[in-house]
Structures are given as structure tokens and as C-alpha cells.
Amino acid sequence: GDGGLAHLAAGLGLYCLTLFDQQSKIAWHPWTTKQISLQASSHSIYDISYIDVILALQRLRNIKYSVEGK
């Protein structure tokens, strides 16, 4: 996969959820508080649960509302 879009989103200040497969999340995640990166311990994207995705999206929403005051 290519994480370029996540870095473009970070550069634009967008909120974003990135799912990592084999690449190292620690080495390649965008360095912004407006993005959340998920990776399963098995390094298989198929092992990221939908519950983890939903919880991460809720965290992003909460970050957005606390920053923007909505």
C-alpha cells in the first residue's frame, strides 16, 4: 500500500484514519494529532477489527469537536 494520501491529508490539516498492513506504523504514520493510525499486532490489515475502526472514528470526531468547539 501507499501512505501518500495520509501524508497529503496531514499536510492539509484534515482528520484521517489510516490502516497499516505490513509497513511499520511507527515509522510511517503522519505526525499530526488530527490523524489516527491503526495496525494489528499480526501486521495484517484483515485483523483490524471493525470495532477498533469505529472507536478510532469516534475519537477523531471527539478531537475535532474539542478543537473546533462544535
Side-chain angles (χ1 to χ4, degrees):
D2 181 13
L5 290 178
H7 290 281
L8 286 173
L12 294 170
L14 300 175
Y15 294 87
C16 185
L17 173 61
T18 307
L19 306 179
F20 279 84
D21 194 34
Q22 298 298 316
Q23 304 84 3
S24 171
K25 177 182 100 166
I26 294 169
W28 294 105
H29 75 280
W31 292 63
T32 175
T33 58
K34 291 185 175 183
Q35 295 196 3
I36 295 175
S37 300
L38 296 178
Q39 184 172 45
S41 59
S42 66
H43 287 256
S44 173
I45 200 167
Y46 300 108
D47 291 335
I48 299 172
S49 76
Y50 72 93
I51 293 171
D52 289 336
V53 171
I54 291 170
L55 291 174
L57 290 172
Q58 288 175 339
R59 285 188 359 231
L60 279 175
R61 183 190 63 202
N62 293 340
I63 291 168
K64 180 178 180 178
Y65 290 153
S66 69
V67 169
E68 296 179 4
K70 293 183 179 182

